[in-house]
Amino acid sequence: MLDYDKEAERYDASRGGEPRAAAAAEAVLSLVPRDTRSLLDVACGTGIVTRRLAAARDGMRVTGVDLARAMTRRAVARLPGAVVRGDSRCLPFRDAEFDAVSSVWLLHLAGSAENVRTIVGECARVLRPGGVYVTTVDKGPSHNVGSDIDVVLAARPPSPVPDTAADVEAYAAEHGLVPAGQARFRGHGQGRSPRRTIADLRRGWFMTLPPDGPLADRFAARLAELPDQDRPRPDPVFTLRAFRKPPDQPDQPAPPDVPHPLEPPTARTP
């Protein structure tokens, strides 16, 4: 697992920068109703996407939350007064506080199905009735674009996929959320080259390949044999799923005492 406090300095530049952030923000907003007045961006990271969400719509208040201190400092610089530090498994907000909640590139990092379930539950808790939760799903598999690099990596020990679309939908349903659409967007600048993939391997990107172990050495050697060491392969395409919290149903008045049409009316004492 990467240390995101250490990763913060290079995070934006190594992950497509502004073009990728623009694509992500546009896709999130395509699933957020136009009348949304408050949005919480969970695991906002450096705030590069959060800032675009805030700038896109007049009158929509956007708040960011992230656990990594170094990430949060960068997000605060982009959105002064609108970012707090907090754990996505125990969000520091009231019930039903936001019209919309987003979590982009978070659930795949949760580490276990129980953590994913907890995070989805927290996002549902702070969402008002009628609001929408938007999250990425199947993040890890999205990086498999069918390239020669993927052919090499296919032999590595399989990684758990805690954010499958089916699992996330099931967790959402447990918390009363119903499917409300999906969108896809390109991860600009994230197409891997062999040399970059080796560098990612050496800094712990791949969960099942300890960076200093003999298995990592073998994969690095195979990657180094590929042609065009610095040519990026195709960019990944990420998937967003949206879930709506049904609005509260007002109490309905009791139906009038109408006799069944096939039964004679009951005589009433005047």
PDB file of all heavy atoms in Angstrom, residues 55-68:
ATOM      1  N   ALA A  55     -15.998  24.836  -8.715  1.00  0.00           N
ATOM      2  CA  ALA A  55     -16.012  25.924  -9.693  1.00  0.00           C
ATOM      3  C   ALA A  55     -17.068  25.726 -10.779  1.00  0.00           C
ATOM      4  O   ALA A  55     -17.419  26.672 -11.481  1.00  0.00           O
ATOM      5  CB  ALA A  55     -14.632  26.056 -10.343  1.00  0.00           C
ATOM      6  N   ALA A  56     -17.574  24.512 -10.903  1.00  0.00           N
ATOM      7  CA  ALA A  56     -18.430  24.195 -12.038  1.00  0.00           C
ATOM      8  C   ALA A  56     -19.837  24.760 -11.917  1.00  0.00           C
ATOM      9  O   ALA A  56     -20.480  25.045 -12.928  1.00  0.00           O
ATOM     10  CB  ALA A  56     -18.499  22.681 -12.225  1.00  0.00           C
ATOM     11  N   ARG A  57     -20.318  24.921 -10.686  1.00  0.00           N
ATOM     12  CA  ARG A  57     -21.705  25.341 -10.503  1.00  0.00           C
ATOM     13  C   ARG A  57     -21.803  26.453  -9.469  1.00  0.00           C
ATOM     14  O   ARG A  57     -21.398  26.275  -8.320  1.00  0.00           O
ATOM     15  CB  ARG A  57     -22.572  24.162 -10.062  1.00  0.00           C
ATOM     16  CG  ARG A  57     -22.714  23.082 -11.110  1.00  0.00           C
ATOM     17  CD  ARG A  57     -23.702  22.037 -10.669  1.00  0.00           C
ATOM     18  NE  ARG A  57     -23.759  20.929 -11.589  1.00  0.00           N
ATOM     19  CZ  ARG A  57     -24.475  19.826 -11.394  1.00  0.00           C
ATOM     20  NH1 ARG A  57     -25.194  19.708 -10.282  1.00  0.00           N
ATOM     21  NH2 ARG A  57     -24.476  18.847 -12.284  1.00  0.00           N
ATOM     22  N   ASP A  58     -22.376  27.547  -9.870  1.00  0.00           N
ATOM     23  CA  ASP A  58     -22.629  28.639  -8.931  1.00  0.00           C
ATOM     24  C   ASP A  58     -23.663  28.195  -7.908  1.00  0.00           C
ATOM     25  O   ASP A  58     -24.644  27.526  -8.233  1.00  0.00           O
ATOM     26  CB  ASP A  58     -23.150  29.871  -9.677  1.00  0.00           C
ATOM     27  CG  ASP A  58     -22.090  30.495 -10.570  1.00  0.00           C
ATOM     28  OD1 ASP A  58     -20.898  30.272 -10.303  1.00  0.00           O
ATOM     29  OD2 ASP A  58     -22.465  31.175 -11.549  1.00  0.00           O
ATOM     30  N   GLY A  59     -23.418  28.531  -6.672  1.00  0.00           N
ATOM     31  CA  GLY A  59     -24.390  28.239  -5.623  1.00  0.00           C
ATOM     32  C   GLY A  59     -24.281  26.856  -5.019  1.00  0.00           C
ATOM     33  O   GLY A  59     -25.038  26.529  -4.098  1.00  0.00           O
ATOM     34  N   MET A  60     -23.335  26.035  -5.512  1.00  0.00           N
ATOM     35  CA  MET A  60     -23.156  24.714  -4.898  1.00  0.00           C
ATOM     36  C   MET A  60     -21.951  24.757  -3.962  1.00  0.00           C
ATOM     37  O   MET A  60     -20.832  25.011  -4.397  1.00  0.00           O
ATOM     38  CB  MET A  60     -22.953  23.631  -5.965  1.00  0.00           C
ATOM     39  CG  MET A  60     -22.873  22.225  -5.364  1.00  0.00           C
ATOM     40  SD  MET A  60     -22.842  20.876  -6.583  1.00  0.00           S
ATOM     41  CE  MET A  60     -21.154  21.050  -7.216  1.00  0.00           C
ATOM     42  N   ARG A  61     -22.196  24.518  -2.673  1.00  0.00           N
ATOM     43  CA  ARG A  61     -21.128  24.506  -1.675  1.00  0.00           C
ATOM     44  C   ARG A  61     -20.467  23.137  -1.664  1.00  0.00           C
ATOM     45  O   ARG A  61     -21.122  22.115  -1.477  1.00  0.00           O
ATOM     46  CB  ARG A  61     -21.707  24.832  -0.295  1.00  0.00           C
ATOM     47  CG  ARG A  61     -20.717  24.709   0.856  1.00  0.00           C
ATOM     48  CD  ARG A  61     -21.369  25.091   2.179  1.00  0.00           C
ATOM     49  NE  ARG A  61     -22.528  24.275   2.477  1.00  0.00           N
ATOM     50  CZ  ARG A  61     -22.497  23.087   3.091  1.00  0.00           C
ATOM     51  NH1 ARG A  61     -21.321  22.574   3.457  1.00  0.00           N
ATOM     52  NH2 ARG A  61     -23.611  22.416   3.339  1.00  0.00           N
ATOM     53  N   VAL A  62     -19.152  23.099  -1.865  1.00  0.00           N
ATOM     54  CA  VAL A  62     -18.413  21.846  -1.921  1.00  0.00           C
ATOM     55  C   VAL A  62     -17.462  21.768  -0.731  1.00  0.00           C
ATOM     56  O   VAL A  62     -16.721  22.715  -0.456  1.00  0.00           O
ATOM     57  CB  VAL A  62     -17.636  21.707  -3.240  1.00  0.00           C
ATOM     58  CG1 VAL A  62     -16.770  20.443  -3.229  1.00  0.00           C
ATOM     59  CG2 VAL A  62     -18.600  21.670  -4.418  1.00  0.00           C
ATOM     60  N   THR A  63     -17.481  20.646  -0.038  1.00  0.00           N
ATOM     61  CA  THR A  63     -16.599  20.379   1.094  1.00  0.00           C
ATOM     62  C   THR A  63     -15.752  19.152   0.777  1.00  0.00           C
ATOM     63  O   THR A  63     -16.262  18.172   0.219  1.00  0.00           O
ATOM     64  CB  THR A  63     -17.422  20.117   2.367  1.00  0.00           C
ATOM     65  OG1 THR A  63     -18.269  21.236   2.625  1.00  0.00           O
ATOM     66  CG2 THR A  63     -16.509  19.874   3.572  1.00  0.00           C
ATOM     67  N   GLY A  64     -14.472  19.199   1.129  1.00  0.00           N
ATOM     68  CA  GLY A  64     -13.595  18.054   0.939  1.00  0.00           C
ATOM     69  C   GLY A  64     -13.154  17.491   2.276  1.00  0.00           C
ATOM     70  O   GLY A  64     -13.005  18.223   3.256  1.00  0.00           O
ATOM     71  N   VAL A  65     -12.932  16.173   2.320  1.00  0.00           N
ATOM     72  CA  VAL A  65     -12.415  15.522   3.520  1.00  0.00           C
ATOM     73  C   VAL A  65     -11.413  14.462   3.086  1.00  0.00           C
ATOM     74  O   VAL A  65     -11.623  13.748   2.112  1.00  0.00           O
ATOM     75  CB  VAL A  65     -13.564  14.904   4.368  1.00  0.00           C
ATOM     76  CG1 VAL A  65     -14.354  13.882   3.576  1.00  0.00           C
ATOM     77  CG2 VAL A  65     -13.023  14.288   5.646  1.00  0.00           C
ATOM     78  N   ASP A  66     -10.289  14.379   3.802  1.00  0.00           N
ATOM     79  CA  ASP A  66      -9.264  13.373   3.501  1.00  0.00           C
ATOM     80  C   ASP A  66      -8.521  13.050   4.787  1.00  0.00           C
ATOM     81  O   ASP A  66      -8.411  13.889   5.691  1.00  0.00           O
ATOM     82  CB  ASP A  66      -8.292  13.875   2.438  1.00  0.00           C
ATOM     83  CG  ASP A  66      -7.536  12.731   1.762  1.00  0.00           C
ATOM     84  OD1 ASP A  66      -6.510  12.270   2.304  1.00  0.00           O
ATOM     85  OD2 ASP A  66      -7.982  12.291   0.682  1.00  0.00           O
ATOM     86  N   LEU A  67      -7.979  11.821   4.841  1.00  0.00           N
ATOM     87  CA  LEU A  67      -7.290  11.375   6.049  1.00  0.00           C
ATOM     88  C   LEU A  67      -5.812  11.737   6.051  1.00  0.00           C
ATOM     89  O   LEU A  67      -5.241  12.029   7.111  1.00  0.00           O
ATOM     90  CB  LEU A  67      -7.452   9.857   6.198  1.00  0.00           C
ATOM     91  CG  LEU A  67      -6.853   9.212   7.446  1.00  0.00           C
ATOM     92  CD1 LEU A  67      -7.459   9.816   8.720  1.00  0.00           C
ATOM     93  CD2 LEU A  67      -7.073   7.706   7.423  1.00  0.00           C
ATOM     94  N   ALA A  68      -5.151  11.754   4.896  1.00  0.00           N
ATOM     95  CA  ALA A  68      -3.713  11.998   4.824  1.00  0.00           C
ATOM     96  C   ALA A  68      -3.415  13.484   5.040  1.00  0.00           C
ATOM     97  O   ALA A  68      -3.961  14.348   4.348  1.00  0.00           O
ATOM     98  CB  ALA A  68      -3.165  11.555   3.472  1.00  0.00           C
TER      99      ALA A  68
END
